[in-house]
Amino acid sequence: MTPPNKPLQIPEPKFIEAAAWWNLEQLYADLTAAKQEYASSGKQRLTPLEKTYLRGLLCNYSPPEIAAALHRDCAGIRVDLSRGLYRYIEVLTLQHPKDWKEIPTMLEIFGYKQKIHGETFHSKFINYTQTRIENRTEWGLAVDTSIFYGRTTELANLEQWILHENCRLVTILGMGGIGKTALASKLTDMIKHQFECLIWLNLSHAPLLADTLVNLIEFLSDQPPNDLNKLQLITQDKKIFQAAISQLEISLDHLIASTNGIEPTIIADGIQRLIQCLQKRRCLIILDEWEAIFSTEQLTGNYREGYQVYGEFLKQVGKSQHQSCLLLTSCEKPKEIAALEGDNQSVRSLKLGGLGEAAVEILKNKGLSEEGEYSELIETYSGNPLALKIVTTTIKDMFGGSIANFLRNGLFLGDYSDTLSRQFNRLSALEIELLYSMAKEVKPVDIENFYSDIQQERGSELLRALESLLRRSLIETVQAESETLFALQPAIKKYLMSVARLPKL
C-alpha cells in the first residue's frame, strides 16, 4: 500500500501561468463551496496544495508531471486527487471526470476560462513578443531549459534549416518523453532574436483551425482585421455545441465537421490572411503536440473529423513564399510533411532518438554513483530522458541508489507507462497486433515474419500499418545484409507484454 503523502510546504507557487488563462479566484471560491458541500462542513477551504494541483491540471500537466514538479510521490498525488479535487469538481459541475484530461474542458465549458479579444485560447501557453529586432524583448519559454542534456547535433541542424536555409515548415518528431518540447524550447531560446514575432501555441486541447487562425492573425497583424467575424463565428458555434453536449448525447466530432463544412472558403481565406502576415514579418510559430488533432484508433496522419483543414494549412505554409517558419512537435508525422519534405526543399523533419551518452548527465545529476552501470541502464531505456528521470527516482528511493540491484529486478516502467499508454491508445487494431507479434520475438523481424505470423494476405494494408508505426516512432529499422528488419525498444516490449492486450480483429 502506498503511504499517504506528507504535508508539503511549497516554497513558491507552482504553475502560476494558469492565472493568465483562467479565472482562478472565482474557481477557488466555487470549489471551496463545493468542498464544503462535499464534506458537509462550512469550515472547509481549498488548501494551498489543492490549489497547486488545480493549476497544474489547468495547464495540462498530468499527475506524474505534477508529481515531478513538486518532487512528490505520484501514487500519493493520484490518491489526493481522487479523494479530493476530483470530488469537488464533480459537485461543482454535476459531471464525473473519468480522467484528468477532462478537467480543463469541463471547467472551460462552465465559463472559468478567461477570454482574450473576445475569444478563448485552447493552449497551455501562448507566449508572444511583437518587437523589432533592434528592440528585443526576452521571451518566456514554455519549458525551462536551464538544465538541458545533449542534442548539440540536433540543435545545429535545426538552426541551419531555419536561419540559413530559410525552411518554412519544420517538424520535430519522436515518441513520448523523448524531449521534443524541450528541444523546441531550447532552439527557440537560441534563435529568438532573429525573429520579429514569436508565438508558442499548445494544441493539446485540439482547437478548431478557425480558432487558431483568429488567434494568430490577431497577434501578428499591426491592426487586426475587423472582418474576422466569420472565423470567430465558427469558434463560437463550437462553444455552443460543447455546452449542449454537457446536457445531450451528441457527437462533438460530427458537429465540428458541420461547422467547418458550412463555408470552407472562410477557412481558406483565413489561411491566406495568415500567409500574408508571415510574408510581412519574419515570424517563428511553434505548434506543440500536433498529434492531438489526429484521429485515434486509425493509422497515423488521419485527422479527427472536422480537422482535415489543418492538413491544408500545413500545405499552404510549406508551399507559399514567405520569410517565416512554422515549427511543429509531434509523436506522429503528418502526411503533408512526408509529401513535401526533402533535402533541397523548404520543408524538413527531424526524428529524435535517445540521448545516448548525454544521458549520463541525467544519472549524475540524480546522484547515482555506480558509473560502471550507466551504459546498461541507458541502453535498457533506449536513452529516453523521461523514462530515465522516472526510474532514477525509483532507484534512489527503493534501491538505495544501486543501479545494479535495480537492474537485477528486470525492466521497470513505473509512471513512464502512462506516457506509453497515451500513445498506444491512439493505435489501430492492426498496429497493435503487429507490435504484439514483434514483442514475442527475440530478434528483429522481417516483413515475411509478419505475413506468416498474422496470417494476412500480402498487400498494402500491412505495409501501411508498418509505415504508420514508423511514423509514430514506435518501431525502429535495422539494416541487415540485403533486407530491412524491424525492432522494438525494450521499454515498449515490456509495456506490450505486461499491460497492453491484443484486441480481437
Side-chain angles (χ1 to χ4, degrees):
M1 180 176 179
T2 303
N5 277 335
K6 297 178 181 180
L8 176 68
Q9 297 296 324
I10 303 174
E12 60 181 18
K14 297 287 187 180
F15 316 119
I16 57 174
E17 61 272 12
W21 314 112
W22 295 88
N23 188 345
L24 291 181
E25 293 308 315
Q26 185 62 52
L27 189 50
Y28 291 157
D30 292 350
L31 283 175
T32 294
K35 181 176 183 178
Q36 292 171 351
E37 180 179 346
Y38 178 75
S40 300
S41 172
K43 297 181 180 180
Q44 295 287 340
R45 295 287 185 274
L46 281 187
T47 66
L49 187 54
E50 287 173 332
K51 293 179 180 179
T52 301
Y53 291 163
L54 176 63
R55 292 194 301 270
L57 293 173
L58 294 178
C59 290
N60 299 316
Y61 287 98
S62 66
E65 290 170 330
I66 294 173
L70 300 180
H71 306 292
R72 287 174 61 79
D73 175 62
C74 181
I77 284 184
R78 291 187 188 276
V79 171
D80 290 348
L81 289 170
S82 62
R83 293 180 179 177
L85 193 59
Y86 291 169
R87 302 288 76 79
Y88 315 149
I89 292 173
E90 185 174 354
V91 171
L92 176 63
T93 64
L94 300 180
Q95 297 182 50
H96 177 68
K98 298 177 182 178
D99 186 84
W100 68 268
K101 299 175 187 176
E102 297 182 358
I103 299 298
T105 301
M106 289 170 57
L107 295 176
E108 181 178 358
I109 290 172
F110 277 77
Y112 290 103
K113 199 161 191 180
Q114 298 192 55
K115 297 183 178 182
I116 308 288
H117 298 304
E119 292 302 321
T120 300
F121 286 84
H122 299 263
S123 61
K124 184 185 294 184
F125 300 101
I126 297 182
N127 294 298
Y128 175 69
T129 303
Q130 182 173 320
T131 58
R132 300 297 178 190
I133 294 179
E134 63 267 22
N135 183 24
R136 303 170 188 165
T137 301
E138 193 67 23
W139 185 66
L141 290 175
V143 171
D144 180 10
T145 56
S146 57
I147 299 177
F148 187 80
Y149 304 100
R151 304 295 191 198
T152 53
T153 300
E154 292 90 339
L155 286 168
N157 287 337
L158 290 168
E159 184 177 13
Q160 172 69 23
W161 294 346
I162 295 173
L163 295 186
H164 304 293
E165 299 182 28
N166 298 315
C167 287
R168 298 187 288 262
L169 180 56
V170 176
T171 306
I172 300 174
L173 302 165
M175 67 179 299
I178 204 67
K180 301 180 294 296
T181 300
L183 179 62
S185 296
K186 186 67 174 180
L187 173 71
T188 304
D189 195 32
M190 291 170 51
I191 67 175
K192 60 190 175 185
H193 298 308
Q194 302 298 319
F195 295 88
E196 295 179 67
C197 303
L198 195 62
I199 299 175
W200 182 289
L201 178 63
N202 185 285
L203 300 184
S204 61
H205 277 109
L208 286 175
L209 179 60
D211 199 9
T212 301
L213 289 174
V214 168
N215 293 340
L216 294 177
I217 293 169
E218 286 186 334
F219 273 127
L220 297 179
S221 301
D222 288 322
Q223 294 182 337
N226 295 320
D227 56 347
L228 292 177
N229 57 308
K230 290 183 179 180
L231 277 173
Q232 292 170 333
L233 282 174
I234 293 178
T235 65
Q236 291 168 5
D237 285 345
K238 181 195 172 188
K239 295 177 179 64
I240 294 172
F241 291 150
Q242 286 178 318
I245 288 166
S246 67
Q247 304 296 327
L248 303 172
E249 294 182 358
I250 302 175
S251 168
L252 177 59
D253 284 345
H254 176 73
L255 290 172
I256 289 175
S258 67
T259 60
N260 272 343
I262 294 171
E263 292 187 57
T265 54
I266 298 176
I267 299 293
D269 180 64
I271 293 174
Q272 290 306 310
R273 285 178 180 271
L274 177 60
I275 298 296
Q276 291 170 7
C277 294
L278 302 183
Q279 292 170 338
K280 184 177 181 181
R281 285 181 169 165
R282 185 156 167 75
C283 308
L284 178 61
I285 301 173
I286 303 96
L287 299 182
D288 196 17
E289 299 189 54
W290 182 269
E291 70 274 4
I293 59 176
F294 285 139
S295 294
T296 59
E297 301 181 1
Q298 294 186 30
L299 297 182
T300 186
N302 291 302
Y303 290 95
R304 294 169 56 172
E305 189 66 34
Y307 287 79
Q308 292 87 348
V309 286
Y310 267 101
E312 183 61 25
F313 167 65
L314 282 190
K315 290 180 185 178
Q316 294 302 320
V317 171
K319 293 165 62 176
S320 301
Q321 290 289 339
H322 58 79
Q323 59 178 326
S324 300
C325 180
L326 176 63
L327 177 65
L328 311 180
T329 73
S330 180
C331 292
E332 306 175 16
K333 179 185 282 191
K335 294 178 180 178
E336 297 77 16
I337 299 294
L340 295 172
E341 69 181 335
D343 291 341
N344 298 318
Q345 304 299 319
S346 61
V347 179
R348 307 286 177 87
S349 66
L350 176 70
K351 185 175 180 179
L352 290 187
L355 279 177
E357 287 302 313
V360 167
E361 295 304 314
I362 295 178
L363 309 186
K364 288 183 177 180
N365 286 343
K366 287 286 188 176
L368 301 185
S369 57
E370 296 176 335
E371 295 190 11
E373 307 291 339
Y374 280 3
S375 295
E376 184 176 354
L377 183 63
I378 292 170
E379 183 178 354
T380 298
Y381 292 92
S382 304
N384 186 294
L386 177 61
L388 288 171
K389 289 174 184 177
I390 289 173
V391 299
T392 50
T393 299
T394 301
I395 292 170
K396 290 191 66 177
D397 292 346
M398 299 182 62
F399 294 89
S402 174
I403 299 175
N405 289 340
F406 171 77
L407 291 173
R408 277 195 288 269
N409 284 270
L411 195 151
F412 174 76
L413 295 179
D415 290 332
Y416 182 58
S417 62
D418 292 342
T419 299
L420 292 178
S421 177
R422 287 194 293 272
Q423 203 158 348
F424 275 83
N425 287 340
R426 306 183 61 82
L427 301 182
S428 67
L430 180 55
E431 287 176 296
I432 294 176
E433 189 175 6
L434 287 173
L435 290 176
Y436 198 85
S437 174
M438 293 178 66
K440 293 185 291 185
E441 302 291 337
V442 177
K443 297 180 179 180
V445 298
D446 59 17
I447 290 180
E448 294 298 325
N449 285 94
F450 292 119
Y451 287 125
S452 60
D453 190 35
I454 296 179
Q455 298 179 347
Q456 184 163 324
E457 293 184 4
R458 298 171 186 264
S460 61
E461 187 176 359
L462 189 144
L463 293 178
R464 287 178 61 224
L466 276 175
E467 183 181 44
S468 180
L469 289 171
L470 282 169
R471 289 184 177 180
R472 296 185 197 269
S473 304
L474 289 177
I475 63 174
E476 301 173 340
T477 58
V478 179
Q479 294 301 320
E481 293 180 356
S482 59
E483 60 183 348
T484 299
L485 305 179
F486 300 91
L488 287 178
Q489 296 179 12
I492 294 178
K493 186 172 184 177
K494 172 70 174 180
Y495 176 84
L496 282 164
M497 301 303 290
S498 63
V499 180
R501 295 292 181 266
L502 181 64
K504 295 181 180 180
L505 296 178

